[in-house]
PDB file of all heavy atoms in Angstrom:
ATOM      1  N   ASP C 834     160.408  62.476  86.954  1.00 98.00           N
ATOM      2  CA  ASP C 834     160.094  63.669  86.204  1.00 98.00           C
ATOM      3  C   ASP C 834     159.785  64.625  87.296  1.00 98.00           C
ATOM      4  O   ASP C 834     159.032  64.386  88.303  1.00 98.00           O
ATOM      5  CB  ASP C 834     158.930  63.477  85.247  1.00 98.00           C
ATOM      6  CG  ASP C 834     158.427  64.661  84.518  1.00 98.00           C
ATOM      7  OD1 ASP C 834     158.942  65.929  84.828  1.00 98.00           O
ATOM      8  OD2 ASP C 834     157.539  64.627  83.666  1.00 98.00           O
ATOM      9  N   PHE C 835     160.350  66.081  87.276  1.00 97.00           N
ATOM     10  CA  PHE C 835     160.110  66.936  88.238  1.00 97.00           C
ATOM     11  C   PHE C 835     158.827  67.605  88.044  1.00 97.00           C
ATOM     12  O   PHE C 835     158.340  68.350  88.876  1.00 97.00           O
ATOM     13  CB  PHE C 835     161.253  67.933  88.204  1.00 97.00           C
ATOM     14  CG  PHE C 835     162.528  67.540  88.801  1.00 97.00           C
ATOM     15  CD1 PHE C 835     163.741  68.068  88.396  1.00 97.00           C
ATOM     16  CD2 PHE C 835     162.458  66.525  89.840  1.00 97.00           C
ATOM     17  CE1 PHE C 835     164.955  67.744  88.955  1.00 97.00           C
ATOM     18  CE2 PHE C 835     163.832  66.099  90.234  1.00 97.00           C
ATOM     19  CZ  PHE C 835     164.901  66.673  89.869  1.00 97.00           C
ATOM     20  N   LYS C 836     158.103  67.397  86.794  1.00 96.00           N
ATOM     21  CA  LYS C 836     156.912  68.106  86.605  1.00 96.00           C
ATOM     22  C   LYS C 836     157.102  69.541  86.677  1.00 96.00           C
ATOM     23  O   LYS C 836     156.255  70.383  87.304  1.00 96.00           O
ATOM     24  CB  LYS C 836     155.679  67.645  87.385  1.00 96.00           C
ATOM     25  CG  LYS C 836     155.299  66.160  86.923  1.00 96.00           C
ATOM     26  CD  LYS C 836     154.005  65.718  87.588  1.00 96.00           C
ATOM     27  CE  LYS C 836     153.586  64.410  87.072  1.00 96.00           C
ATOM     28  NZ  LYS C 836     152.363  63.917  87.595  1.00 96.00           N
ATOM     29  N   SER C 837     158.217  70.114  86.340  1.00 95.00           N
ATOM     30  CA  SER C 837     158.573  71.579  86.460  1.00 95.00           C
ATOM     31  C   SER C 837     157.804  72.324  85.476  1.00 95.00           C
ATOM     32  O   SER C 837     158.023  72.206  84.207  1.00 95.00           O
ATOM     33  CB  SER C 837     160.104  71.727  86.278  1.00 95.00           C
ATOM     34  OG  SER C 837     160.416  73.060  86.492  1.00 95.00           O
ATOM     35  N   ALA C 838     156.919  73.279  85.979  1.00 97.00           N
ATOM     36  CA  ALA C 838     156.322  74.150  85.034  1.00 97.00           C
ATOM     37  C   ALA C 838     156.144  75.502  85.707  1.00 97.00           C
ATOM     38  O   ALA C 838     155.975  75.590  86.912  1.00 97.00           O
ATOM     39  CB  ALA C 838     154.810  73.597  84.874  1.00 97.00           C
ATOM     40  N   PRO C 839     156.174  76.495  84.955  1.00 98.00           N
ATOM     41  CA  PRO C 839     156.208  77.948  85.536  1.00 98.00           C
ATOM     42  C   PRO C 839     154.833  78.084  86.323  1.00 98.00           C
ATOM     43  O   PRO C 839     153.710  77.811  85.869  1.00 98.00           O
ATOM     44  CB  PRO C 839     156.327  78.840  84.285  1.00 98.00           C
ATOM     45  CG  PRO C 839     156.812  78.022  83.217  1.00 98.00           C
ATOM     46  CD  PRO C 839     156.245  76.675  83.477  1.00 98.00           C
ATOM     47  N   LEU C 840     154.969  78.651  87.563  1.00 98.00           N
ATOM     48  CA  LEU C 840     153.952  79.063  88.343  1.00 98.00           C
ATOM     49  C   LEU C 840     153.701  80.563  88.431  1.00 98.00           C
ATOM     50  O   LEU C 840     152.531  81.138  88.283  1.00 98.00           O
ATOM     51  CB  LEU C 840     154.029  78.610  89.793  1.00 98.00           C
ATOM     52  CG  LEU C 840     154.129  77.083  89.946  1.00 98.00           C
ATOM     53  CD1 LEU C 840     154.379  76.582  91.411  1.00 98.00           C
ATOM     54  CD2 LEU C 840     152.766  76.514  89.326  1.00 98.00           C
ATOM     55  N   THR C 841     154.852  81.350  88.624  1.00 98.00           N
ATOM     56  CA  THR C 841     154.671  82.860  88.625  1.00 98.00           C
ATOM     57  C   THR C 841     156.080  83.474  88.536  1.00 98.00           C
ATOM     58  O   THR C 841     156.993  82.952  88.895  1.00 98.00           O
ATOM     59  CB  THR C 841     154.028  83.339  90.005  1.00 98.00           C
ATOM     60  OG1 THR C 841     153.989  84.750  90.036  1.00 98.00           O
ATOM     61  CG2 THR C 841     154.940  82.808  91.214  1.00 98.00           C
ATOM     62  N   PRO C 842     156.075  84.622  87.751  1.00 98.00           N
ATOM     63  CA  PRO C 842     157.261  85.411  87.627  1.00 98.00           C
ATOM     64  C   PRO C 842     157.519  85.964  89.003  1.00 98.00           C
ATOM     65  O   PRO C 842     156.752  86.172  89.872  1.00 98.00           O
ATOM     66  CB  PRO C 842     156.953  86.462  86.602  1.00 98.00           C
ATOM     67  CG  PRO C 842     155.835  85.967  85.885  1.00 98.00           C
ATOM     68  CD  PRO C 842     155.021  85.073  86.814  1.00 98.00           C
ATOM     69  N   ILE C 843     158.763  86.299  89.345  1.00 98.00           N
ATOM     70  CA  ILE C 843     159.250  87.009  90.428  1.00 98.00           C
ATOM     71  C   ILE C 843     159.516  88.439  90.005  1.00 98.00           C
ATOM     72  O   ILE C 843     160.224  88.672  89.026  1.00 98.00           O
ATOM     73  CB  ILE C 843     160.620  86.280  91.045  1.00 98.00           C
ATOM     74  CG1 ILE C 843     160.266  84.972  91.493  1.00 98.00           C
ATOM     75  CG2 ILE C 843     161.159  87.263  92.183  1.00 98.00           C
ATOM     76  CD1 ILE C 843     161.464  84.175  91.899  1.00 98.00           C
ATOM     77  N   THR C 844     158.905  89.424  90.684  1.00 98.00           N
ATOM     78  CA  THR C 844     158.821  90.742  90.181  1.00 98.00           C
ATOM     79  C   THR C 844     159.862  91.732  90.668  1.00 98.00           C
ATOM     80  O   THR C 844     159.830  92.779  90.207  1.00 98.00           O
ATOM     81  CB  THR C 844     157.371  91.300  90.380  1.00 98.00           C
ATOM     82  OG1 THR C 844     157.043  91.167  91.784  1.00 98.00           O
ATOM     83  CG2 THR C 844     156.363  90.421  89.571  1.00 98.00           C
ATOM     84  N   SER C 845     160.511  91.273  91.890  1.00 98.00           N
ATOM     85  CA  SER C 845     161.398  92.232  92.389  1.00 98.00           C
ATOM     86  C   SER C 845     162.774  91.674  92.648  1.00 98.00           C
ATOM     87  O   SER C 845     162.865  90.420  92.789  1.00 98.00           O
ATOM     88  CB  SER C 845     160.900  92.837  93.914  1.00 98.00           C
ATOM     89  OG  SER C 845     159.721  93.583  93.668  1.00 98.00           O
ATOM     90  N   PRO C 846     163.813  92.521  92.469  1.00 98.00           N
ATOM     91  CA  PRO C 846     165.155  91.844  92.681  1.00 98.00           C
ATOM     92  C   PRO C 846     165.340  91.349  94.152  1.00 98.00           C
ATOM     93  O   PRO C 846     164.652  91.798  95.108  1.00 98.00           O
ATOM     94  CB  PRO C 846     166.088  93.026  92.407  1.00 98.00           C
ATOM     95  CG  PRO C 846     165.328  93.968  91.635  1.00 98.00           C
ATOM     96  CD  PRO C 846     163.917  93.753  92.032  1.00 98.00           C
ATOM     97  N   ALA C 847     166.219  90.423  94.291  1.00 98.00           N
ATOM     98  CA  ALA C 847     166.615  89.906  95.655  1.00 98.00           C
ATOM     99  C   ALA C 847     168.130  89.614  95.559  1.00 98.00           C
ATOM    100  O   ALA C 847     168.790  89.380  94.578  1.00 98.00           O
ATOM    101  CB  ALA C 847     165.744  88.759  96.031  1.00 98.00           C
ATOM    102  N   VAL C 848     168.659  89.515  96.848  1.00 98.00           N
ATOM    103  CA  VAL C 848     170.098  89.277  96.935  1.00 98.00           C
ATOM    104  C   VAL C 848     170.451  87.963  97.593  1.00 98.00           C
ATOM    105  O   VAL C 848     169.641  87.527  98.382  1.00 98.00           O
ATOM    106  CB  VAL C 848     170.740  90.312  97.749  1.00 98.00           C
ATOM    107  CG1 VAL C 848     172.286  90.126  97.954  1.00 98.00           C
ATOM    108  CG2 VAL C 848     170.634  91.813  97.064  1.00 98.00           C
ATOM    109  N   ARG C 849     171.431  87.315  97.145  1.00 98.00           N
ATOM    110  CA  ARG C 849     171.887  85.979  97.706  1.00 98.00           C
ATOM    111  C   ARG C 849     171.926  86.132  99.126  1.00 98.00           C
ATOM    112  O   ARG C 849     172.462  87.064  99.774  1.00 98.00           O
ATOM    113  CB  ARG C 849     173.252  85.704  97.070  1.00 98.00           C
ATOM    114  CG  ARG C 849     173.798  84.399  97.774  1.00 98.00           C
ATOM    115  CD  ARG C 849     175.168  83.990  97.064  1.00 98.00           C
ATOM    116  NE  ARG C 849     175.865  83.008  97.794  1.00 98.00           N
ATOM    117  CZ  ARG C 849     176.718  83.289  98.802  1.00 98.00           C
ATOM    118  NH1 ARG C 849     177.089  84.536  99.084  1.00 98.00           N
ATOM    119  NH2 ARG C 849     177.303  82.257  99.449  1.00 98.00           N
ATOM    120  N   GLY C 850     171.242  85.176  99.981  1.00 98.00           N
ATOM    121  CA  GLY C 850     171.202  85.196 101.358  1.00 98.00           C
ATOM    122  C   GLY C 850     169.905  85.676 101.835  1.00 98.00           C
ATOM    123  O   GLY C 850     169.533  85.318 103.054  1.00 98.00           O
ATOM    124  N   GLU C 851     169.069  86.189 101.019  1.00 98.00           N
ATOM    125  CA  GLU C 851     167.728  86.650 101.433  1.00 98.00           C
ATOM    126  C   GLU C 851     166.771  85.499 101.354  1.00 98.00           C
ATOM    127  O   GLU C 851     166.876  84.435 100.537  1.00 98.00           O
ATOM    128  CB  GLU C 851     167.197  87.820 100.649  1.00 98.00           C
ATOM    129  CG  GLU C 851     168.109  89.122 100.877  1.00 98.00           C
ATOM    130  CD  GLU C 851     167.501  90.301  99.953  1.00 98.00           C
ATOM    131  OE1 GLU C 851     166.703  90.053  99.197  1.00 98.00           O
ATOM    132  OE2 GLU C 851     167.955  91.389 100.234  1.00 98.00           O
ATOM    133  N   ARG C 852     165.600  85.577 102.025  1.00 98.00           N
ATOM    134  CA  ARG C 852     164.628  84.543 102.065  1.00 98.00           C
ATOM    135  C   ARG C 852     163.294  85.035 101.603  1.00 98.00           C
ATOM    136  O   ARG C 852     162.253  84.197 101.603  1.00 98.00           O
ATOM    137  CB  ARG C 852     164.523  83.871 103.454  1.00 98.00           C
ATOM    138  CG  ARG C 852     165.804  83.150 103.894  1.00 98.00           C
ATOM    139  CD  ARG C 852     165.715  82.644 105.301  1.00 98.00           C
ATOM    140  NE  ARG C 852     164.448  81.830 105.539  1.00 98.00           N
ATOM    141  CZ  ARG C 852     163.713  81.791 106.599  1.00 98.00           C
ATOM    142  NH1 ARG C 852     164.262  82.537 107.745  1.00 98.00           N
ATOM    143  NH2 ARG C 852     162.577  81.081 106.834  1.00 98.00           N
ATOM    144  N   ILE C 853     163.150  86.254 101.166  1.00 98.00           N
ATOM    145  CA  ILE C 853     161.888  86.847 100.756  1.00 98.00           C
ATOM    146  C   ILE C 853     161.936  87.202  99.330  1.00 98.00           C
ATOM    147  O   ILE C 853     162.823  87.761  98.782  1.00 98.00           O
ATOM    148  CB  ILE C 853     161.602  88.186 101.628  1.00 98.00           C
ATOM    149  CG1 ILE C 853     161.579  87.885 103.184  1.00 98.00           C
ATOM    150  CG2 ILE C 853     160.260  88.724 101.066  1.00 98.00           C
ATOM    151  CD1 ILE C 853     160.368  87.061 103.497  1.00 98.00           C
ATOM    152  N   ILE C 854     160.891  86.612  98.529  1.00 98.00           N
ATOM    153  CA  ILE C 854     160.758  87.003  97.177  1.00 98.00           C
ATOM    154  C   ILE C 854     159.380  87.525  97.001  1.00 98.00           C
ATOM    155  O   ILE C 854     158.506  87.362  97.668  1.00 98.00           O
ATOM    156  CB  ILE C 854     160.911  85.601  96.308  1.00 98.00           C
ATOM    157  CG1 ILE C 854     159.929  84.690  96.604  1.00 98.00           C
ATOM    158  CG2 ILE C 854     162.416  85.123  96.514  1.00 98.00           C
ATOM    159  CD1 ILE C 854     159.884  83.488  95.641  1.00 98.00           C
ATOM    160  N   VAL C 855     159.230  88.408  95.936  1.00 98.00           N
ATOM    161  CA  VAL C 855     158.052  89.108  95.550  1.00 98.00           C
ATOM    162  C   VAL C 855     157.565  88.520  94.324  1.00 98.00           C
ATOM    163  O   VAL C 855     158.334  88.520  93.256  1.00 98.00           O
ATOM    164  CB  VAL C 855     158.237  90.587  95.535  1.00 98.00           C
ATOM    165  CG1 VAL C 855     156.918  91.207  95.108  1.00 98.00           C
ATOM    166  CG2 VAL C 855     158.781  91.198  96.714  1.00 98.00           C
ATOM    167  N   VAL C 856     156.354  88.101  94.193  1.00 98.00           N
ATOM    168  CA  VAL C 856     155.904  87.356  93.070  1.00 98.00           C
ATOM    169  C   VAL C 856     154.609  88.086  92.366  1.00 98.00           C
ATOM    170  O   VAL C 856     153.943  88.704  93.035  1.00 98.00           O
ATOM    171  CB  VAL C 856     155.498  85.870  93.430  1.00 98.00           C
ATOM    172  CG1 VAL C 856     156.679  85.179  93.963  1.00 98.00           C
ATOM    173  CG2 VAL C 856     154.304  85.796  94.348  1.00 98.00           C
ATOM    174  N   GLU C 857     154.371  87.769  91.179  1.00 98.00           N
ATOM    175  CA  GLU C 857     153.237  88.384  90.414  1.00 98.00           C
ATOM    176  C   GLU C 857     151.994  87.665  90.714  1.00 98.00           C
ATOM    177  O   GLU C 857     150.889  88.311  90.913  1.00 98.00           O
ATOM    178  CB  GLU C 857     153.560  88.235  88.963  1.00 98.00           C
ATOM    179  CG  GLU C 857     152.518  88.845  88.089  1.00 98.00           C
ATOM    180  CD  GLU C 857     152.856  88.733  86.619  1.00 98.00           C
ATOM    181  OE1 GLU C 857     153.776  89.325  86.160  1.00 98.00           O
ATOM    182  OE2 GLU C 857     152.118  87.930  85.874  1.00 98.00           O
ATOM    183  N   LYS C 858     151.993  86.255  90.953  1.00 98.00           N
ATOM    184  CA  LYS C 858     150.781  85.566  91.279  1.00 98.00           C
ATOM    185  C   LYS C 858     150.805  84.826  92.495  1.00 98.00           C
ATOM    186  O   LYS C 858     150.979  83.528  92.458  1.00 98.00           O
ATOM    187  CB  LYS C 858     150.470  84.689  89.950  1.00 98.00           C
ATOM    188  CG  LYS C 858     150.465  85.344  88.662  1.00 98.00           C
ATOM    189  CD  LYS C 858     150.374  84.265  87.548  1.00 98.00           C
ATOM    190  CE  LYS C 858     150.488  84.964  86.150  1.00 98.00           C
ATOM    191  NZ  LYS C 858     150.420  83.885  85.084  1.00 98.00           N
ATOM    192  N   PRO C 859     150.577  85.440  93.524  1.00 98.00           N
ATOM    193  CA  PRO C 859     150.653  84.621  94.925  1.00 98.00           C
ATOM    194  C   PRO C 859     149.614  83.617  94.981  1.00 98.00           C
ATOM    195  O   PRO C 859     149.756  82.633  95.730  1.00 98.00           O
ATOM    196  CB  PRO C 859     150.617  85.768  96.026  1.00 98.00           C
ATOM    197  CG  PRO C 859     149.969  86.953  95.207  1.00 98.00           C
ATOM    198  CD  PRO C 859     150.338  86.813  93.827  1.00 98.00           C
ATOM    199  N   ALA C 860     148.640  83.841  94.263  1.00 98.00           N
ATOM    200  CA  ALA C 860     147.413  82.865  94.460  1.00 98.00           C
ATOM    201  C   ALA C 860     147.882  81.452  93.886  1.00 98.00           C
ATOM    202  O   ALA C 860     147.228  80.370  94.078  1.00 98.00           O
ATOM    203  CB  ALA C 860     146.128  83.329  93.653  1.00 98.00           C
ATOM    204  N   ALA C 861     148.952  81.361  93.078  1.00 98.00           N
ATOM    205  CA  ALA C 861     149.323  80.140  92.471  1.00 98.00           C
ATOM    206  C   ALA C 861     150.271  79.401  93.493  1.00 98.00           C
ATOM    207  O   ALA C 861     150.632  78.259  93.213  1.00 98.00           O
ATOM    208  CB  ALA C 861     150.175  80.464  91.244  1.00 98.00           C
ATOM    209  N   LEU C 862     150.541  79.974  94.668  1.00 98.00           N
ATOM    210  CA  LEU C 862     151.389  79.290  95.624  1.00 98.00           C
ATOM    211  C   LEU C 862     150.673  79.011  97.059  1.00 98.00           C
ATOM    212  O   LEU C 862     149.538  79.553  97.259  1.00 98.00           O
ATOM    213  CB  LEU C 862     152.603  80.232  95.882  1.00 98.00           C
ATOM    214  CG  LEU C 862     153.425  80.664  94.567  1.00 98.00           C
ATOM    215  CD1 LEU C 862     154.421  81.597  95.013  1.00 98.00           C
ATOM    216  CD2 LEU C 862     153.896  79.454  93.868  1.00 98.00           C
ATOM    217  N   LYS C 863     151.217  78.248  97.770  1.00 98.00           N
ATOM    218  CA  LYS C 863     150.688  77.878  99.104  1.00 98.00           C
ATOM    219  C   LYS C 863     151.679  77.534 100.028  1.00 98.00           C
ATOM    220  O   LYS C 863     152.798  77.083  99.710  1.00 98.00           O
ATOM    221  CB  LYS C 863     149.486  76.761  98.991  1.00 98.00           C
ATOM    222  CG  LYS C 863     150.093  75.428  98.471  1.00 98.00           C
ATOM    223  CD  LYS C 863     149.019  74.350  98.566  1.00 98.00           C
ATOM    224  CE  LYS C 863     149.586  73.077  98.005  1.00 98.00           C
ATOM    225  NZ  LYS C 863     148.499  72.031  97.852  1.00 98.00           N
ATOM    226  N   VAL C 864     151.401  77.764 101.315  1.00 98.00           N
ATOM    227  CA  VAL C 864     152.453  77.561 102.433  1.00 98.00           C
ATOM    228  C   VAL C 864     152.659  76.057 102.403  1.00 98.00           C
ATOM    229  O   VAL C 864     151.728  75.248 102.328  1.00 98.00           O
ATOM    230  CB  VAL C 864     151.863  78.167 103.892  1.00 98.00           C
ATOM    231  CG1 VAL C 864     152.797  77.618 104.841  1.00 98.00           C
ATOM    232  CG2 VAL C 864     151.746  79.686 103.719  1.00 98.00           C
ATOM    233  N   GLY C 865     153.954  75.725 102.680  1.00 98.00           N
ATOM    234  CA  GLY C 865     154.304  74.235 102.673  1.00 98.00           C
ATOM    235  C   GLY C 865     154.642  73.529 101.383  1.00 98.00           C
ATOM    236  O   GLY C 865     155.123  72.462 101.357  1.00 98.00           O
ATOM    237  N   GLN C 866     154.312  74.370 100.234  1.00 98.00           N
ATOM    238  CA  GLN C 866     154.579  73.867  98.986  1.00 98.00           C
ATOM    239  C   GLN C 866     156.115  73.787  98.669  1.00 98.00           C
ATOM    240  O   GLN C 866     156.864  74.730  99.118  1.00 98.00           O
ATOM    241  CB  GLN C 866     153.870  74.684  98.077  1.00 98.00           C
ATOM    242  CG  GLN C 866     154.101  74.327  96.457  1.00 98.00           C
ATOM    243  CD  GLN C 866     153.234  75.174  95.563  1.00 98.00           C
ATOM    244  OE1 GLN C 866     152.757  76.301  96.034  1.00 98.00           O
ATOM    245  NE2 GLN C 866     153.216  74.849  94.228  1.00 98.00           N
ATOM    246  N   SER C 867     156.619  72.761  98.034  1.00 98.00           N
ATOM    247  CA  SER C 867     157.967  72.709  97.459  1.00 98.00           C
ATOM    248  C   SER C 867     157.955  73.282  96.154  1.00 98.00           C
ATOM    249  O   SER C 867     157.122  73.087  95.330  1.00 98.00           O
ATOM    250  CB  SER C 867     158.448  71.360  97.394  1.00 98.00           C
ATOM    251  OG  SER C 867     158.625  70.699  98.693  1.00 98.00           O
ATOM    252  N   ILE C 868     158.932  74.260  95.900  1.00 98.00           N
ATOM    253  CA  ILE C 868     158.997  74.969  94.616  1.00 98.00           C
ATOM    254  C   ILE C 868     160.361  75.057  94.227  1.00 98.00           C
ATOM    255  O   ILE C 868     161.421  74.803  94.920  1.00 98.00           O
ATOM    256  CB  ILE C 868     158.570  76.412  94.874  1.00 98.00           C
ATOM    257  CG1 ILE C 868     159.261  77.164  95.900  1.00 98.00           C
ATOM    258  CG2 ILE C 868     157.087  76.563  95.113  1.00 98.00           C
ATOM    259  CD1 ILE C 868     159.096  78.643  95.971  1.00 98.00           C
ATOM    260  N   GLU C 869     160.544  75.391  92.904  1.00 98.00           N
ATOM    261  CA  GLU C 869     161.949  75.623  92.334  1.00 98.00           C
ATOM    262  C   GLU C 869     162.002  77.107  92.026  1.00 98.00           C
ATOM    263  O   GLU C 869     161.104  77.652  91.360  1.00 98.00           O
ATOM    264  CB  GLU C 869     162.110  74.796  91.094  1.00 98.00           C
ATOM    265  CG  GLU C 869     163.366  75.130  90.321  1.00 98.00           C
ATOM    266  CD  GLU C 869     163.399  74.342  89.029  1.00 98.00           C
ATOM    267  OE1 GLU C 869     162.466  73.682  88.567  1.00 98.00           O
ATOM    268  OE2 GLU C 869     164.521  74.428  88.258  1.00 98.00           O
ATOM    269  N   VAL C 870     163.010  77.743  92.588  1.00 98.00           N
ATOM    270  CA  VAL C 870     163.241  79.145  92.176  1.00 98.00           C
ATOM    271  C   VAL C 870     164.449  79.118  91.144  1.00 98.00           C
ATOM    272  O   VAL C 870     165.511  78.654  91.388  1.00 98.00           O
ATOM    273  CB  VAL C 870     163.650  80.001  93.305  1.00 98.00           C
ATOM    274  CG1 VAL C 870     163.941  81.519  92.857  1.00 98.00           C
ATOM    275  CG2 VAL C 870     162.525  79.987  94.390  1.00 98.00           C
TER     276      VAL C 870
END
């Protein structure tokens, strides 16, 4: 089971090839964490 559950919406567009995303709830995330976009 991936235990996939929503953490935060992404609030700004981004383009394929970029590595920066802008999120609504940064406090829900931490450095080193594995995530699904």
Side-chain angles (χ1 to χ4, degrees):
D834 185 346
F835 286 156
K836 293 192 173 182
S837 179
L840 296 177
T841 176
I843 298 172
T844 57
S845 293
V848 176
R849 174 178 169 268
E851 293 182 351
R852 293 175 53 211
I853 301 294
I854 60 174
V855 181
V856 301
E857 182 180 292
K858 304 174 183 177
L862 309 175
K863 61 183 180 181
V864 173
Q866 179 180 8
S867 291
I868 58 170
E869 177 187 5
V870 178

